[in-house]
Structure formats: C-alpha cells, structure tokens
C-alpha cells in the first residue's frame, strides 16, 4: 500500500470516528458510558490524522502539532476501562475516584509541557533533524504508554469477567447483546494494542520485515472504528440502558406457609440503591437453609418456573418467598451452582424428556429448546452438550440404539 493510499484509509477512518462520536454524544440512553466511548472515538480520529500525516513536511508546516500524538494515547486505556466500568455498573455514575485514571494524562502533559511551550522556531529547529526526532518516538514515554494500554485493557477484561459472574448469579439467560458486544470490543482493542506493541519494538530493535509494517499497524484501529460504527448503527440496542441486576423485586408473595426463623434481611443502602447480598454466617441457620432448599426444589419440580425463558433470581425468590440473598447462598453453598447453571440443569432435563417424547418428534431443535425454557438454539446446544457430553441430535440417536 502506498503512502497516499494509507493516508486515504486513515483519514476515512477518522471521518467515520467523528461521525460515530457525534452519534454517541447524542444518544440519550446510557449517557455516561456512551459519552466516554464517543470521546475515545474522537481522540482515535485525531490520532488517526496525525498518524496519516506523520511526515517531515507535515510537521514542518504545523510544528505545534508535533508530539501531540504522544499525549493523546495516555487517555486511550483509561477511557476503555471507564467505558467498560460504567457499562457494566449496576448504578453507573461519575465518582471522584474516577479522576485518578487521568493521572497518566496529567503526568504526560507535565512531561511534554516544556516542549509544547516552545515557540515555533524552536520546534522547527528540533524537527529539522527529522530522523533524530523520529527516534524519540520510541523513547521511554511511549514505551510506558504501551504497557499502560495493556494494563488498562486487561483490567477491563477482568471487569467483564466479574460482570459475567454477576449475571450468572441473577439471570437464567445470557443472550444479552451488550455483554457479548462488550467482550468482543475489549478483546479487539487488546489484540490491536498487543500487535501494536510488537510492531513498536520490532521497529525499535530493527527486526527484519516487521519494521516495514510499522506505519500500517494503525490500520487495526481503523478496523476497530468501522466495526464499532457498524455495531452502533445495526444494533442500537447495545447502547440502551441496562436494568440493574441487583434491583430487588417487590415484596415476595408467599406461596408456601413455611417461613423458617431467620434474621432480618440486610437493609437497603440508600446511597447505592441496592440491597447487600453478602453472605452472613449468622443470617441463615442450617435448619432454615435445609427448609428453604426443600421448599425451592419442591417448587421447581411442581411449578416448573424454568420454562420461563427470561426467569431471574428475583422472580424465583419472590415466587418461593425466599429472600434473594438467602436463595443465592443456598444455590452456591448447598448445591455448588450459580443461578444460571441451576435453572439450565432443569431445562436440559426437560429437553431430554421432550426429545424422546413421540408427541414432540415433529419439533425442530429450536422448537424443543423454546419449549424447555431456552431462548435460542446456540445456547441450547452449548448447555445441552456441556451437561450431557452430546449434542441433542446425538442424544436422540444414542437413545434409539437398542441395548
């Protein structure tokens, strides 16, 4: 690819990024997270232009833009992390501690401030030896920024993992578009950064053939911008507001008269708007836990709530009149399962029954999945194989083999 072609692609990506930034800034849903992502797209667009015109002639014509490309990346990692944190937060809001993530930017600015404060003549004198100025691009500051990017994106992946665990404790279905999209987004960013770091050091150490692709590694960022733009336009639901997963349901309506003697539930934290769900050893005695467990298993067997595709732990807790935090504790400690696995175990057993029932022989795999409580064929196939070691089709074939 020629330099001109590279510049065209990078500038086109910058325009796409600006368009996406405007789109995100004007979205009323999930405003805080969207604005962070929009600000990130804006910075990536500016960086794309600087990378596209990273030539001696450009910076001699615009000396005050030199080294700006050193400063902007100090915001990339923190913004990816904060975007992930706010998107997965149960109560997204801006906190004072969030300002701490901008310390790298402040430190970089202080480091570069003496250069930025110089007059144009001094910068032109520095840029006149463009080869020496280019070597400075691989100095300590940019090396530290590389690891800052990796650290922040790695931390974002840990946030997503914790979020997945919280969802499995509260939902029986994991089809939420946002989680899947967010995981893909952060992994894509992490991969681009990792490749960029490899190319960076290849150029620094003059590694053969990899040195030649240094100027093209930013194309990965352009791919990321276009991909995010596609997702934003084709799947707008990914930017909608999330229902807090710890929001308690209304006061449970007892379906059973069995009410073991327990201590009162943890009080509502008015500041955070959620109910504490930490297990308290004194909060649920063994006798009460045993009673609750039998109450739960009996209800699952008789009422089959798992047939509801979108069953949540709040709904089940209300139905069996068990406080949500006690129900979660029983599942984890007595059954060794989270809510997601607990419900889907019943769904798999129901699916096995339906697959072998002649009355349902005309049903498709998706039809069986929906009847058993699953909401999609891929989820059904994955969970069924995990539980049985067989696909639904293989299970039916094996069951028909005479023993």
């Amino acid at each position: 690819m020629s330099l001109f072609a590279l510049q065209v692609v990078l500038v086109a990506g910058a325009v796409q990024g600006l368009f996406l930034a405007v789109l995100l800034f004007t979205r009323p849903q999930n405003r805080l997270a969207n604005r962070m992502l929009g600000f990130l797209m804006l910075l990536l667009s500016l960086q794309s232009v600087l990378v596209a015109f990273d030539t001696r002639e450009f910076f001699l014509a615009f000396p005050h833009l030199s080294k700006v490309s050193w400063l902007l990346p100090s915001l990339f990692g923190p913004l990816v992390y904060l975007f992930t944190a706010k998107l997965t937060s149960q109560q997204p809001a801006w906190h004072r501690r969030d300002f701490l993530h901008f310390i790298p930017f402040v430190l970089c600015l202080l480091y570069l401030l003496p250069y930025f404060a110089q007059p144009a003549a001094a910068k032109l004198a520095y840029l006149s030896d463009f080869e020496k100025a280019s070597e400075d691009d691989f100095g300590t500051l940019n090396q530290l920024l590389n690891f800052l990017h990796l650290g922040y994106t790695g931390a974002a992946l840990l946030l997503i993992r914790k979020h997945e665990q919280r969802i499995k404790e509260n939902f029986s279905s994991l089809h939420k578009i946002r989680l899947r999209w967010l995981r893909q987004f952060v992994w894509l960013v992490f991969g681009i950064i990792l490749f960029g770091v490899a190319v960076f050091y290849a150029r620094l150490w003059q590694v053969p053939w990899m040195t030649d692709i240094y100027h093209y590694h930013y194309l990965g960022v352009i791919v990321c911008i276009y991909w995010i733009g596609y997702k934003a336009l084709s799947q707008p639901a990914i930017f909608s507001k999330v229902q807090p997963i710890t929001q308690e349901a209304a006061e449970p309506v007892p379906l059973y008269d069995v009410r073991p003697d327990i201590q009162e539930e943890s009080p509502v934290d008015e500041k955070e708007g959620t109910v504490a769900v930490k297990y308290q050893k004194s909060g649920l005695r063994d006798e009460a836990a045993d009673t609750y467990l039998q109450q739960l298993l009996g209800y699952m067997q008789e009422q089959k709530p798992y047939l509801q595709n979108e069953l949540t732990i709040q709904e089940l807790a209300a139905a069996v009149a068990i406080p949500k935090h006690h129900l979660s504790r029983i599942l984890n400690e007595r059954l060794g399962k989270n809510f997601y696995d607990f419900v889907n175990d019943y769904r798999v057993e129901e699916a096995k029954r339906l697959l072998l029932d002649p009355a349902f022989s005309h049903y498709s795999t998706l039809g069986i999945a929906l009847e058993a409580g699953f909401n999609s064929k891929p989820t059904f196939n994955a969970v069924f194989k995990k539980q049985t070691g067989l696909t639904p089709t293989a299970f039916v074939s094996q069951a028909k083999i005479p023993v």
Side-chain angles (χ1 to χ4, degrees):
M1 181 182 294
S2 66
L3 176 60
F4 176 74
L6 177 63
Q7 290 175 334
V8 169
V9 173
L10 292 178
V11 171
V15 173
Q16 169 74 16
L18 291 174
F19 173 77
L20 177 58
V22 172
L23 177 67
L24 291 168
F25 276 120
T26 56
R27 284 288 172 116
Q29 300 92 352
N30 207 17
R31 190 180 300 271
L32 181 58
N34 286 344
R35 287 185 173 180
M36 287 184 177
L37 183 59
F39 188 41
L40 176 62
M41 293 299 102
L42 178 62
L43 294 178
L44 288 174
S45 298
L46 296 176
Q47 186 76 354
S48 180
V49 173
L50 293 175
V51 172
F53 297 98
D54 186 14
T55 62
R56 184 175 184 273
E57 293 75 16
F58 177 81
F59 285 116
L60 288 177
F62 304 97
H64 291 301
L65 292 179
S66 59
K67 294 194 178 183
V68 173
S69 61
W70 294 17
L71 180 63
L72 297 182
S74 63
L75 291 169
F76 295 168
L79 285 173
V80 169
Y81 176 83
L82 288 172
F83 167 70
T84 305
K86 302 309 176 185
L87 202 59
T88 59
S89 175
Q90 300 167 31
Q91 297 292 328
W94 185 262
H95 304 287
R96 290 182 181 178
R97 62 179 180 272
D98 293 331
F99 285 107
L100 295 175
H101 296 288
F102 295 99
I103 290 178
F105 171 78
V106 174
L107 294 177
C108 287
L109 181 60
L110 292 175
Y111 177 80
L112 294 170
L113 197 58
Y115 179 82
F116 289 153
Q118 290 181 1
K123 293 177 181 177
L124 288 172
Y126 169 77
L127 294 169
S128 61
D129 187 355
F130 194 70
E131 290 187 5
K132 176 62 171 64
S134 298
E135 291 178 2
D136 291 343
D137 290 341
F138 302 90
T140 303
L141 177 61
N142 284 321
Q143 292 188 46
L144 291 175
L145 288 177
N146 284 332
F147 292 100
L148 179 75
H149 301 330
L150 291 174
Y152 266 107
T153 49
L157 289 171
L158 290 178
L159 284 180
I160 294 173
R161 183 177 180 182
K162 291 180 180 179
H163 183 59
E164 290 176 326
Q165 293 172 347
R166 287 201 304 269
I167 286 182
K168 286 188 174 183
E169 292 291 344
N170 290 271
F171 293 93
S172 63
S173 171
L174 302 182
H175 73 290
K176 305 300 180 182
I177 296 177
R178 166 174 289 110
L179 183 65
R180 194 162 55 241
W181 173 85
L182 182 61
R183 189 193 312 113
Q184 293 170 353
F185 167 68
V186 178
W187 272 112
L188 177 61
V189 172
F190 186 79
I192 291 172
I193 292 174
L194 197 61
F195 179 73
V197 170
V199 173
F200 177 92
Y201 281 103
R203 177 65 181 271
L204 177 63
W205 298 328
Q206 294 298 306
V207 177
W209 75 267
M210 287 193 69
T211 299
D212 299 331
I213 64 175
Y214 173 75
H215 289 292
Y216 301 96
H217 78 278
Y218 204 78
L219 291 174
V221 177
I222 301 304
V223 171
C224 185
I225 290 175
Y226 274 101
W227 183 77
I228 295 172
Y230 167 76
K231 289 290 185 179
L233 295 175
S234 65
Q235 299 180 12
I238 63 177
F239 295 107
S240 62
K241 189 174 182 179
V242 174
Q243 182 72 16
I245 64 175
T246 57
Q247 182 179 357
E248 289 295 327
E251 185 68 23
V253 179
L255 298 181
Y256 295 81
D257 291 329
V258 181
R259 296 288 297 183
D261 181 26
I262 59 172
Q263 292 189 0
E264 294 183 358
E265 295 185 47
S266 301
V268 175
D269 186 338
E270 295 181 357
K271 182 177 179 181
E272 295 296 331
T274 59
V275 177
V277 294
K278 292 183 179 180
Y279 301 145
Q280 305 264 340
K281 288 296 183 182
S282 60
L284 181 64
R285 291 195 286 267
D286 289 341
E287 297 82 2
D290 291 337
T291 303
Y292 274 151
L293 179 59
Q294 295 306 315
Q295 183 176 336
L296 171 65
L297 296 179
Y299 182 78
M300 295 294 289
Q301 188 70 27
E302 296 171 12
Q303 303 299 324
K304 299 184 177 183
Y306 50 86
L307 298 181
Q308 302 175 34
N309 302 92
E310 303 294 339
L311 180 67
T312 68
I313 194 171
Q314 287 91 347
E315 293 169 343
L316 183 59
V320 295
I322 299 176
K324 173 180 171 292
H325 60 288
H326 288 330
L327 177 57
S328 180
R329 177 179 175 180
I330 290 170
L331 294 178
N332 284 300
E333 293 186 352
R334 294 302 178 98
L335 302 179
K337 300 175 182 178
N338 55 45
F339 179 72
Y340 176 79
D341 291 333
F342 172 71
V343 173
N344 282 303
D345 282 351
Y346 280 93
R347 289 173 176 168
V348 169
E349 290 303 315
E350 179 69 13
K352 289 163 67 175
R353 185 186 69 79
L354 296 175
L355 287 168
L356 301 180
D357 189 341
F360 292 87
S361 60
H362 62 288
Y363 275 53
S364 65
T365 302
L366 177 59
I368 294 294
L370 295 177
E371 286 291 326
F374 292 96
N375 57 19
S376 70
K377 182 178 177 180
T379 300
F380 170 55
N381 287 333
V383 174
F384 191 93
K385 187 170 184 179
K386 178 182 177 182
Q387 295 292 338
T388 66
L390 299 169
T391 64
T393 302
F395 171 81
V396 173
S397 299
Q398 187 180 80
K400 291 181 179 180
I401 299 175
V403 180

